[in-house]
Structures are given as structure tokens and as C-alpha cells.
Amino acid sequence: MNRIINKSSKLNGTITVPGDKSISHRSIMLGAISKGTTHISGFLTGEDCLSTVSCFRKMGIDIQIDDTNVTVHGKGLYGLSKPNETLYVGNSGTTLRLMTGILSAQNFSCDITGDESIQKRPMDRVSIPLSLMGADITGTEKNGKLCAPLHINGSNLNAIEYKLPVASAQVKSAILLAAMYAKGETTVIEPEPTRNHTEIMLNYLGANIKHDGNRITCTPVKELYAHDITVPADISSAAYFITAGLICPDSVITIKNVGVNPTRTGITDIYLKMGADITFSNEMSVCGEATSDITVRYSKLKGTVIGGDIIPRLIDEIPIIAVAACFAQGTTVIKDAQELKVKESNRIKTVVEELTKLGADIKETDDGMVINGTGSLKGAVTESHNDHRIAMACSIAGLAADGKTQINNSQCVDISFPGYFELLESLM
Ligand code: S3P
């Protein structure tokens, strides 16, 4: 499907964006291996999270979905059953990587795979530490890296101390999930802090995860017990509306109950540094996660340097931050972001390619990009590369660009944000 976006100003309104993708995945996974019934509200019914649901249903877990309310009939840490068919994760890296941690410790073997993009993404980053714990994981070698389809033979695991070579919440989470089943105390050492939703939810459900500086320790768990979970709105989805409000003249947008866990707020920190008018109100804590309403107003932004330990706190927002940088005065440098190359698309390449079509002054570097803010873009035909975040970033660029912008293959927004274009139109 292709979408046309026309130049817009005065975006106005109060909106709610869908539930957090990372927390929604974890609510299904941890609900499934908890004892008892978990009621989840605010669940993201995007394709990625539905892939997680489908995998657990194939392992005997009864999951009912009623709009954004989900009921998971958990069977406890040892209650999953061997699936009769290959588990299919679609486009979802989080499903594949986190589930590899859980599956490594089961008393059955199974196969797991996903779409074309997933089959190119590196899985050795999880198979290496899990194998050190005793896991038996085999897969397909591509460019010297282990990739899906994977065959996982459930094993008895031992604890490890492991220093992550790349800052990745998916890898940390896979190890912590396996560590619950392992003999002994496992420690993961992070090079930089990454999203800690697994740790927060595990402790909420009765595990004992300790955090000391950059060391995260997990002692084996006998059982997790079901607790109801409320999922905050996803700051990674709010990011498109925050940016639209900042770059479309005369806009004021409020986004309700957004998850503002400090491991996720790199985008608002950077925008504030760039001179954005962003305010936080109605601050709360829900199931251990901080939430807030976020109000943004059209602002004159200044270019900045984005690199170092803020990168994991805004890794998924870099495509949309690049759009904002086109409208900032001066140069924005994004560095230390080589992880973008192994996302749903190579996001250094795809961002530079698509914003170049819109007339941006943007250059690819080895670990990011350099953008000279020109204050304007011009409408063009863009391509999503089947990457949801590229499609949404192009659409916001299109709102601020002169004339008309087309986004080809825009249906991939359903991966993380069903109803995205309709919500955008509601603000016009
Ligand atoms: C996620 C972690 C990040 C992020 C992804 C979701 C998670 O990936 O990009 O969209 O839910 O743990 P990495 O762990 O590969 O950085």
C-alpha cells in the first residue's frame, strides 16, 4: 500500500498512542511462564507482539485478546509444551532473541524462524552467551554470523558472568530469562545502560534481579506468580508525534500516559538540548514503569552531537531524530550508532537514502550520519524498505516538506503502530 502525505501545519490535539512494544512482548512471555492468570491492559496489538502471542499459543498457552486487553493463562516456569510446528516470529527481533533465552532452558527441542529480514539479523550475539551457559543452539551461517532458522535443544543451564560486547537489551534479556532456570547466580555487565523492562517486570512478578552500577545479577527462580500488568504508551511511537509537533509550525500536541522509563527517554533529552518546547505532566508509576503526559509545541531547533551512552536510550528513534535535524539550525552529528545497521533495515543506509530523496543535506558515516539542517524538504516518492520506523519517519518528513510525499509499502507501520495514519490525520 502507498500513502500520500501533504504539507501540514497547526497539528493540534490530545492523543493516546498504542502500548509499548518492548513491555507488551515481555508481558506475554512472562505471563506465559508465571503461575496463574495475567490480565494485561494497554497491550500493543501490532504484528510483532502478535507474533509473540502466536509462539506461546503453539506451546500450549491459552491467550485471549479483546482489543488492547489480553488474558494469559500462565502455566509456570516449567509449563510450556513442545510445539508441533516451527515457531514463527515474523519481523520481530525481540521475540526471536528473548525466546531463544527461554527455549534454551526447556525440556524439549524446537525450531524457530521469521521473515526474510529476521533471517539476516545476527543471532550469535545471543547464542554465544547462551552456549556458555550450556545451551544447544544451531542455525544457518550467513556472512560468518549465526542466523535463523534456529534449532534449540533445551538443556540444563549453568550461571555465567558475561560482559556484553554490544549494548543490547535483547541480549541482556535473553541471558536473564535463561538465568532464571540456571544453576547459580548469573551476572550480565552492560557497556552502557539499555532498556530495563525485563528486570522491572521480573521483579514485579517475584524474581530477584539486582542492579549494581553496570552489573545486573539474577539468582535462579523457583516460580513467577501472575500479576496484572498495565502497559504504558510507547515513547518510540510517541516519537513521531513529538517530532511532528516540533517541526510543523503552530502545532501543540499532548500525548497521554507515555512510558518515560529513563532508559528510553534519550529522544526527549536530545530534543530539549536542541531547544525544544516539551513539558511533562501527570507523572505516575505503573507496574514499576514511569509514565507521563508529554506536551510539545512547535520550536526552533538547533543542531547537536548525538553519541556515546545516550545511543541505546534512543536507538529506535534515530530515523525520526534525523528528520528533526533537517529542520534544525546547524549541523547534527549522529555517531556510535553502528547498531542501526542490524535493525529491521540497515537504518543508516535507509534513512540517508530516503531523506536524500526529500532534498535533505545528509551524509552516511561508518557509525551514523551527518545532517546539515536546511530548514526545508521537498515532497518526493519514498520507500519504507518494509521497515515500520522508516515509513513513519518519512511520513513526518512529508508533513513538513513542501508539496506531496508518497510512502511506498506503508502497511509495515502495522508492525508497531496499527492505526498510525488515522491518528496522524486526526490532528490535522
Ligand atoms: C528492544 C531492544 C532494542 C530495540 C528493539 C527492542 C527490546 O534492540 O532496538 O526495538 O525490546 O529489548 P537491541 O537490544 O538489539 O538494541
Side-chain angles (χ1 to χ4, degrees), residues 20-23 25-26 94 97-98 121 125 167-173 194-195 197-198 236 264 312 315-316 339 342-344 347 388-389:
D20 188 276
K21 182 153 81 70
S22 295
I23 299 176
H25 281 301
R26 287 156 172 83
T94 307
R97 296 211 176 103
L98 270 60
R121 296 180 67 184
R125 52 178 61 195
S168 163
Q170 292 179 352
V171 179
K172 170 180 65 175
S173 300
T194 67
R195 65 191 69 192
H197 307 301
T198 304
S236 297
R264 297 286 299 282
I315 188 73
D316 292 339
E339 271 298 295
V342 290
K343 294 294 174 189
E344 287 84 330
R347 287 185 180 154
H388 53 133
R389 303 214 187 275

Side-chain angles (χ1 to χ4, degrees), residues 204-413:
Y204 176 69
L205 299 177
N208 182 18
I209 310 281
K210 293 212 172 82
H211 205 159
D212 180 13
N214 58 354
R215 298 170 67 86
I216 301 125
T217 302
C218 175
T219 41
V221 173
K222 281 212 176 65
E223 202 60 89
L224 298 173
Y225 294 96
H227 282 66
D228 291 352
I229 296 171
T230 300
V231 181
D234 197 332
I235 191 165
S236 297
S237 296
Y240 304 97
F241 295 92
I242 292 172
T243 309
L246 293 177
I247 66 175
C248 296
D250 302 320
S251 298
V252 185
I253 304 174
T254 296
I255 309 140
K256 300 285 292 175
N257 299 319
V258 181
V260 288
N261 176 321
T263 62
R264 297 286 299 282
T265 49
I267 182 167
T268 44
D269 287 356
I270 279 294
Y271 281 164
L272 289 168
K273 194 171 154 208
M274 292 172 80
D277 182 346
I278 301 180
T279 49
F280 297 86
S281 57
N282 186 30
E283 278 147 320
M284 288 189 286
S285 171
V286 183
C287 306
E289 294 281 354
T291 66
S292 176
D293 295 354
I294 298 179
T295 300
V296 291
R297 292 184 168 75
Y298 173 69
S299 304
K300 296 250 180 287
L301 301 175
K302 299 184 296 284
T304 189
V305 177
I306 308 171
D309 62 6
I310 200 167
I311 293 294
R313 298 178 53 229
L314 48 65
I315 188 73
D316 292 339
E317 289 66 73
I318 290 176
I320 190 62
I321 292 172
V323 172
C326 295
F327 292 90
Q329 201 181 47
T331 302
T332 296
V333 178
I334 300 173
K335 58 182 189 177
D336 306 319
Q338 43 291 59
E339 271 298 295
L340 290 177
K341 295 179 183 170
V342 290
K343 294 294 174 189
E344 287 84 330
S345 67
N346 174 344
R347 287 185 180 154
I348 297 184
K349 273 208 164 2
T350 50
V351 166
V352 171
E353 196 174 318
E354 298 315 312
L355 292 182
T356 300
K357 289 179 189 166
L358 292 162
D361 180 351
I362 180 168
K363 289 210 167 39
E364 182 180 338
T365 62
D366 199 38
D367 63 349
M369 55 197 86
V370 177
I371 303 146
N372 287 313
T374 53
S376 68
L377 293 176
K378 44 181 195 323
V381 178
T382 63
E383 170 57 47
S384 72
H385 301 264
N386 277 323
D387 182 336
H388 53 133
R389 303 214 187 275
I390 299 299
M392 292 187 275
C394 286
S395 73
I396 301 301
L399 280 183
D402 295 329
K404 206 182 257 188
T405 296
Q406 180 170 319
I407 299 120
N408 289 344
N409 292 310
S410 58
Q411 70 284 353
C412 59
V413 301

